[in-house]
Amino acid sequence: MTIRGEMLIGQQTVTGTQANIQAVNPATGEKLDPIYVGGSRAHVEQATELAETAYATYRETSLEERATFLETIASEIEAIGSELVERAMAETGLPQARIEGERGRTCGQLRLFASVVRAGEWLDVRIDPAMPDRQPMPRADLRQRHIALGPVAVFGASNFPLAFSVAGGDTASALAAGCPVVVKGHSAHPGTSELVGQAIQKAVKACHLPEGVFSLLFGAGNEIGQALVDDPRIQAVGFTGSRSGGMALMKTAQARPQPIPVYAEMSSINPVFILPAALKARGKELGEAFVGSLNMGAGQFCTNPGLVIAVKGPELDAFTEAAKGAVEASGAQTMLTPGIHSAYQGGVASLSGATKVREIARGQTGGDYQCQTGLFAASASDFLASKALQAEVFGASSLIVECADAAEVKRVAEQLEGQLTATLHMDDADLDAAKALLPTLERKAGRILANGWPTGVEVCHAMVHGGPFPATSDSRTTSVGSAAIHRFLRPVCYQALPEGLLPDALKEGNPLKVSRLVDGKREL
Amino acid sequence: MTIRGEMLIGQQTVTGTQANIQAVNPATGEKLDPIYVGGSRAHVEQATELAETAYATYRETSLEERATFLETIASEIEAIGSELVERAMAETGLPQARIEGERGRTCGQLRLFASVVRAGEWLDVRIDPAMPDRQPMPRADLRQRHIALGPVAVFGASNFPLAFSVAGGDTASALAAGCPVVVKGHSAHPGTSELVGQAIQKAVKACHLPEGVFSLLFGAGNEIGQALVDDPRIQAVGFTGSRSGGMALMKTAQARPQPIPVYAEMSSINPVFILPAALKARGKELGEAFVGSLNMGAGQFCTNPGLVIAVKGPELDAFTEAAKGAVEASGAQTMLTPGIHSAYQGGVASLSGATKVREIARGQTGGDYQCQTGLFAASASDFLASKALQAEVFGASSLIVECADAAEVKRVAEQLEGQLTATLHMDDADLDAAKALLPTLERKAGRILANGWPTGVEVCHAMVHGGPFPATSDSRTTSVGSAAIHRFLRPVCYQALPEGLLPDALKEGNPLKVSRLVDGKREL
């Protein structure tokens, strides 16, 4: 593969006409060649037109063809080899092991969706056979399957340059559903994006699919992204990024003549509740482990634990003391971009400056764009009185909320905004306390975990990486795991269609061998 | 039961404080007692506060408790007896057989949802067991179920005073999901609404459920509805009605600090494609049957066939001739309200007045609020050139679109807006023509039917009563059939929770005996 500094529209490479984009190595401040020239509205239209054309064919590819395509993408990404790892490291400041791990996750995710496509659960086949003799009215034969929504716009995230970017979860699940994808690459890692885009482009060709199944655009500002969401051919949007960015896309999508769904994963501070018995039994150990989670990827995880909630007292003091030591020992880590670093500095400064907030510890200082871990504390009453203390600080920063008692812990839980995760640290003796909190946490978060840390999101069938607003724009969905495919599908019912006109998924004899709901009864 | 002219808030009966509402018998023009006094914002808050309180308990009722509740509602509705039928007839002008049939459908629907609740497919249980020895990282135990979104606002429709109203599909599916419901009753049938509301109120009490599970409000204008959708406790909205009404609710829901989903079923003209061989073989028969469907319920069905598309020539002439005769023989039928009748008159007048439209036939004239069936024709090229000809005329009015050839039939299909249904009349020799149209129809409609008529929507598992915008606000869903429950649910993932903290649906040994996806494999 060669990095060319170009957009990929179908099988073409295209040079833009708008403002330049150039990646910066955040570890060195060095500008990375090549320069990418941003695309225009004409490029958006070219990509969406190709996607629209491809949709007709691609959505009806066989399960096997589509699964093979996803597997081919994974193989092509692996085939790029060390060039991809090196470029991603240079563009993000993330270490080699992390990038290699993320590449494994990305390819594993594509292969998971291949297996999901083959299994066919996503078709949600339902058959209600005809009842010609029913009184007073006969029933016609009724069959339901799900079909792809149409071309999907995907916005790559900065913090996972592979797993939530060009061939990340949104792209993999949309392609699995049968939707062509137009990606707006993140300006922080255009070279990584182009390399992965080329891998998808090769897979499209190798699998003899229509070229419009995939395109990759770049743009310096918001214009190209807004144009993409506004394009009448686009039928859904996947986005991972800031609350303001997600809200802007939601607004555009709703203002279209035909509104479309936006799946925006936006912000979360991932509260961690440490219940009394667990706190007493292992406050020190928890304090150290907490800082390990806090520092992962310089805190640049959507599931970073930005809030610790516990009852104050000597047990919490022991936790805080241990966390303090771990934070002070934390080496500075390079952040993804100068902009993210500057936002982090601003967020931490406003916590430091808040009169009701105590600074517990700061980590070691480092280079220009390095994150100096921050740990703060506030009383629950002050936290409850200040909405600002719930704002996400993207990076390794967390706030310990000290509660007077269990009732105040509950009040804090009740006042939280929607979250991706909520964590309970608990021992057997905490079971009743946990039971009392659980209903509130279920309303607030998409994933509830016990005795672990929210960072590290398993790609599997039961995962929910989603949650009530503002964690995401649509709490009914997940952006990680096999259920993410449902975001890009809609049901169609076929009534009394002759066998020759029925799609294979619905034919007599179940030729695709998929699980079906027949007269409301599950059949394997 | 006694009609009191009051709102039902929890177990209370409450007299409003705002503008009066009084039903009119559209068959006679007579005003029907009692007068209903509309509710205020304070009543909305009272109802939603009770709903919020009830949600905590109601969403975790056992499958059996919730199913029994739905069945009890059905029995209580049946127990009202002839009073309900007579009042519904008086308020809607619909005939006895239709109201009795609709009552059967409404109660059958509630019982279907009881069986759906018991079967537990809606929980979508997914289990990915722990893999403690996995390399390089162990996997935690991950389990997913779906939970109720929260209190739901339901707007009763005018055209099905039972099946799409107070205890209609939206209410039944929301209650089945575990969501308390606050209904804004339709002002055209307040007495019917109150009677059915009293039945639900009795069922709530008989089943020892928290009173806030159900409330029924009235309001003369839009204010109470807007306040309901704007209320922070409301988490989703079900609506069947006009496009402007649905769009207004969507706008309010999106403008909230926390946007919420709106399931609005709004408008559809339900194109019927008559393919050449079928047209040739039985044009006359089809023409007569078509008018039967057109006239059902005075054309006041969401799935009324408002558009017929075929290739012009002597075969289509025979169809049109037969339809003309049937229309001319059509007796006038009372419409639901004076307002609906006046909108119908306006719609038909603008078709009559359009220079490119030919009037084929009108039905017999009748009383003040009676619908005089209308049949019109236009060339496909004129249809393609005029967006106005795609506007829904609510009532028994339809337009025959005469196409030059199969290619023009396809162009007409491609230019259609989103629809609830699309119908194909076809013989064996039409199979290729049908195949060529099908992909377009799948993009345009939620249900595709062959050799039938779109009116008559089966309440079953495979039904899709939904479709792309503007047929509905959310093409990913259905408002009729068991899949309607999914609108009011969201997934929650439980990671490494101790058995004692897991909800029953996710416990080891599958105590609820529900179908589960284990490691991606379906288990019964």
Side-chain angles (χ1 to χ4, degrees):
Chain A
M1 305 269 184
T2 314
I3 295 181
R4 298 195 193 91
E6 291 188 304
M7 300 188 292
L8 311 177
I9 301 183
Q11 287 293 314
Q12 308 299 309
T13 56
V14 178
T15 305
T17 54
Q18 306 300 109
N20 290 351
I21 297 155
Q22 190 165 16
V24 173
N25 184 329
T28 62
E30 168 206 8
K31 290 192 170 185
L32 296 168
D33 281 331
I35 287 169
Y36 286 77
V37 188
S40 67
R41 281 175 178 266
H43 294 115
V44 168
E45 283 174 24
Q46 202 184 334
T48 57
E49 188 59 38
L50 280 179
E52 170 73 16
T53 305
Y55 168 72
T57 314
Y58 181 63
R59 76 177 177 96
E60 289 294 1
T61 45
S62 71
L63 302 186
E64 186 54 37
E65 283 174 292
R66 215 182 299 164
T68 302
F69 172 49
L70 293 167
E71 289 164 343
T72 307
I73 296 173
S75 305
E76 291 290 352
I77 290 171
E78 287 164 347
I80 307 171
S82 60
E83 187 185 359
L84 179 61
V85 177
E86 285 153 18
R87 181 74 191 193
M89 288 169 63
E91 288 184 331
T92 62
L94 293 169
Q96 181 169 350
R98 154 67 195 270
I99 294 292
E100 286 177 351
E102 196 180 322
R103 179 178 58 183
R105 176 191 178 92
T106 306
C107 295
Q109 191 162 259
L110 287 158
R111 292 188 174 109
L112 174 73
F113 277 107
S115 75
V116 165
V117 168
R118 284 195 184 95
E121 284 279 335
W122 59 274
L123 288 159
D124 190 13
V125 169
R126 292 158 173 254
I127 297 184
D128 293 316
M131 307 197 322
D133 302 323
R134 190 181 65 172
Q135 291 301 329
M137 296 270 286
R139 181 171 84 181
D141 178 270
L142 290 148
R143 292 161 192 254
Q144 185 191 120
R145 68 161 178 167
H146 277 65
I147 69 168
L149 275 181
V152 168
V154 170
F155 290 79
S158 64
N159 59 340
F160 282 83
L162 298 171
F164 282 80
S165 191
V166 176
D170 285 341
T171 298
S173 54
L175 290 177
C179 298
V181 169
V182 181
V183 176
K184 154 80 164 61
H186 200 286
S187 299
H189 55 264
T192 307
S193 297
E194 189 187 357
L195 286 171
V196 172
Q198 287 172 4
I200 304 179
Q201 213 181 29
K202 283 180 76 173
V204 169
K205 193 172 182 187
C207 295
H208 309 291
L209 294 171
E211 60 171 337
V213 164
F214 174 79
S215 291
L216 169 65
L217 304 174
F218 292 107
N222 297 332
E223 196 195 339
I224 204 174
Q226 292 292 339
L228 195 53
V229 174
D230 205 33
D231 188 289
R233 287 153 289 217
I234 293 295
Q235 294 298 304
V237 179
F239 169 88
T240 302
S242 69
R243 187 158 167 178
S244 59
M247 295 291 286
L249 296 184
M250 287 167 71
K251 203 169 162 185
T252 302
Q254 280 295 323
R256 292 165 45 121
Q258 174 221 9
I260 55 172
V262 173
Y263 304 106
E265 196 233 288
M266 296 182 289
S267 69
S268 183
I269 54 173
N270 304 295
V272 174
F273 294 83
I274 308 185
L275 301 185
L279 188 61
K280 189 170 180 182
R282 46 200 157 90
K284 177 170 179 291
E285 188 186 325
L286 287 170
E288 287 162 1
F290 155 65
V291 177
S293 174
L294 177 64
N295 280 335
M296 277 186 78
Q300 299 164 121
F301 279 20
C302 315
T303 53
N304 191 58
L307 207 61
V308 175
I309 300 147
V311 174
K312 67 184 168 195
E315 289 85 359
L316 180 54
D317 293 343
F319 169 91
T320 304
E321 195 57 32
K324 179 174 190 281
V327 167
E328 285 167 350
S330 299
Q333 293 179 81
T334 302
M335 297 195 84
L336 291 159
T337 68
I340 286 174
H341 179 260
S342 141
Y344 173 77
Q345 295 285 75
V348 166
S350 68
L351 278 175
S352 289
T355 51
K356 307 289 190 177
V357 173
R358 290 173 0 250
E359 181 179 299
I360 300 293
R362 293 300 304 271
Q364 295 171 21
T365 54
D368 278 353
Y369 307 128
Q370 289 198 311
C371 168
Q372 184 195 358
T373 306
L375 182 61
F376 304 88
S379 74
S381 55
D382 288 334
F383 179 82
L384 289 167
S386 166
K387 251 194 133 49
L389 296 184
Q390 275 201 53
E392 182 183 30
V393 178
F394 192 71
S397 165
S398 195
L399 178 70
I400 299 172
V401 177
E402 299 164 333
C403 301
D405 51 25
E408 201 169 38
V409 168
K410 186 133 196 265
R411 278 201 298 284
V412 169
E414 279 163 359
Q415 197 178 293
L416 291 172
E417 292 190 308
Q419 305 288 341
L420 293 171
T421 70
T423 300
L424 291 164
H425 281 281
M426 58 181 287
D427 277 0
D428 288 351
D430 292 315
L431 192 62
D432 287 344
K435 274 186 181 162
L437 273 177
L438 191 62
T440 303
L441 302 186
E442 286 174 332
R443 288 198 79 172
K444 297 292 181 180
R447 177 165 57 110
I448 295 162
L449 56 153
N451 296 325
W453 301 98
T455 42
V457 181
E458 186 73 35
V459 181
C460 61
H461 304 282
M463 178 50 62
V464 177
H465 189 66
F469 184 89
T472 75
S473 57
D474 190 338
S475 72
R476 297 163 297 174
T477 62
T478 175
S479 63
V480 174
S482 65
I485 193 173
H486 295 298
R487 299 177 298 167
F488 302 113
L489 295 165
R490 48 171 276 259
V492 177
C493 173
Y494 302 81
Q495 179 175 324
L497 254 60
E499 177 82 1
L501 202 51
L502 280 174
D504 287 348
L506 300 180
K507 284 198 165 118
E508 282 301 302
N510 194 6
L512 300 189
K513 301 197 184 343
V514 293
S515 155
R516 314 193 296 180
L517 204 65
V518 179
D519 252 337
K521 301 259 184 317
R522 173 65 57 189
E523 291 185 1
L524 289 182
Chain B
M1 303 267 183
T2 315
I3 296 182
R4 297 195 194 91
E6 293 189 304
M7 301 189 291
L8 311 176
I9 301 184
Q11 286 294 313
Q12 308 299 309
T13 56
V14 178
T15 306
T17 53
Q18 307 300 110
N20 290 352
I21 298 155
Q22 190 164 16
V24 173
N25 184 327
T28 62
E30 168 206 7
K31 290 192 172 183
L32 296 168
D33 281 330
I35 287 170
Y36 286 77
V37 187
S40 66
R41 281 175 180 266
H43 294 116
V44 168
E45 283 174 23
Q46 203 184 334
T48 57
E49 187 59 37
L50 280 179
E52 169 74 15
T53 304
Y55 168 71
T57 315
Y58 182 63
R59 76 177 177 95
E60 291 293 2
T61 44
S62 71
L63 303 186
E64 185 54 37
E65 281 173 293
R66 214 181 299 165
T68 302
F69 172 49
L70 294 167
E71 289 164 343
T72 307
I73 296 172
S75 305
E76 291 290 352
I77 290 171
E78 286 163 347
I80 308 170
S82 59
E83 187 185 359
L84 179 62
V85 176
E86 284 152 18
R87 180 75 192 192
M89 287 169 63
E91 288 184 331
T92 63
L94 293 169
Q96 181 169 350
R98 155 67 195 272
I99 294 292
E100 286 177 349
E102 195 180 322
R103 179 179 56 183
R105 176 192 176 90
T106 306
C107 296
Q109 191 162 257
L110 286 158
R111 293 188 175 108
L112 175 73
F113 277 109
S115 74
V116 165
V117 168
R118 285 197 183 95
E121 284 280 334
W122 59 275
L123 287 159
D124 190 13
V125 169
R126 292 160 173 252
I127 297 183
D128 293 316
M131 308 200 316
D133 302 324
R134 189 181 65 172
Q135 292 300 331
M137 295 271 287
R139 181 171 85 181
D141 178 90
L142 290 148
R143 291 162 193 253
Q144 185 191 121
R145 69 162 179 166
H146 277 64
I147 70 168
L149 274 181
V152 168
V154 170
F155 290 78
S158 64
N159 60 340
F160 283 82
L162 298 171
F164 282 81
S165 191
V166 177
D170 284 341
T171 298
S173 54
L175 291 177
C179 299
V181 169
V182 180
V183 176
K184 156 77 165 64
H186 200 285
S187 299
H189 54 265
T192 307
S193 297
E194 189 186 359
L195 286 172
V196 172
Q198 287 172 4
I200 303 179
Q201 212 180 29
K202 283 180 75 173
V204 169
K205 194 174 182 186
C207 295
H208 309 290
L209 294 171
E211 60 171 336
V213 165
F214 173 78
S215 291
L216 168 65
L217 304 173
F218 293 108
N222 297 332
E223 196 195 339
I224 204 174
Q226 292 291 339
L228 195 51
V229 175
D230 205 34
D231 189 289
R233 286 153 290 217
I234 293 296
Q235 294 298 305
V237 179
F239 168 88
T240 301
S242 70
R243 185 158 168 178
S244 59
M247 296 291 287
L249 295 184
M250 287 168 70
K251 203 170 161 185
T252 302
Q254 281 295 323
R256 291 165 45 121
Q258 175 220 9
I260 54 171
V262 172
Y263 304 107
E265 196 232 289
M266 296 183 289
S267 69
S268 182
I269 54 173
N270 304 296
V272 174
F273 295 83
I274 307 185
L275 301 185
L279 189 61
K280 189 170 182 184
R282 48 202 157 89
K284 177 170 179 292
E285 187 187 327
L286 286 170
E288 287 161 0
F290 155 66
V291 176
S293 174
L294 177 63
N295 281 334
M296 278 187 78
Q300 301 166 121
F301 279 20
C302 315
T303 52
N304 191 58
L307 207 62
V308 175
I309 300 146
V311 174
K312 66 185 168 194
E315 290 86 357
L316 180 55
D317 294 343
F319 169 92
T320 304
E321 196 57 33
K324 179 173 190 283
V327 166
E328 285 167 351
S330 300
Q333 293 179 81
T334 301
M335 298 195 83
L336 291 159
T337 69
I340 286 174
H341 180 259
S342 141
Y344 172 77
Q345 295 285 75
V348 167
S350 68
L351 278 175
S352 289
T355 52
K356 308 290 190 176
V357 173
R358 290 174 359 252
E359 182 177 299
I360 300 294
R362 294 300 302 271
Q364 295 170 23
T365 54
D368 279 353
Y369 307 129
Q370 290 199 310
C371 169
Q372 183 196 0
T373 307
L375 182 61
F376 304 88
S379 73
S381 55
D382 288 334
F383 179 82
L384 289 168
S386 165
K387 250 193 134 48
L389 296 184
Q390 274 201 54
E392 183 184 28
V393 178
F394 192 71
S397 166
S398 194
L399 179 70
I400 300 172
V401 177
E402 301 164 332
C403 302
D405 51 26
E408 201 170 37
V409 169
K410 187 134 196 264
R411 277 201 297 283
V412 169
E414 281 163 358
Q415 197 179 291
L416 290 172
E417 291 191 308
Q419 305 289 341
L420 294 171
T421 70
T423 300
L424 292 166
H425 281 282
M426 57 180 288
D427 277 0
D428 288 351
D430 293 315
L431 192 62
D432 287 344
K435 275 186 180 161
L437 273 177
L438 190 61
T440 303
L441 302 186
E442 286 174 331
R443 289 199 77 173
K444 298 292 180 181
R447 177 165 57 111
I448 296 162
L449 56 153
N451 296 325
W453 302 98
T455 42
V457 181
E458 185 72 35
V459 181
C460 61
H461 303 282
M463 177 50 62
V464 178
H465 190 65
F469 185 89
T472 76
S473 56
D474 191 338
S475 72
R476 297 162 297 175
T477 61
T478 174
S479 62
V480 174
S482 66
I485 192 174
H486 295 297
R487 299 176 298 166
F488 303 112
L489 295 165
R490 49 171 276 259
V492 177
C493 174
Y494 302 82
Q495 179 175 323
L497 253 59
E499 177 81 1
L501 203 51
L502 280 174
D504 287 349
L506 301 180
K507 285 199 165 117
E508 282 302 303
N510 194 7
L512 300 189
K513 301 200 183 342
V514 293
S515 154
R516 315 192 296 180
L517 204 65
V518 179
D519 253 337
K521 302 256 183 320
R522 173 65 58 191
E523 290 185 1
L524 289 182

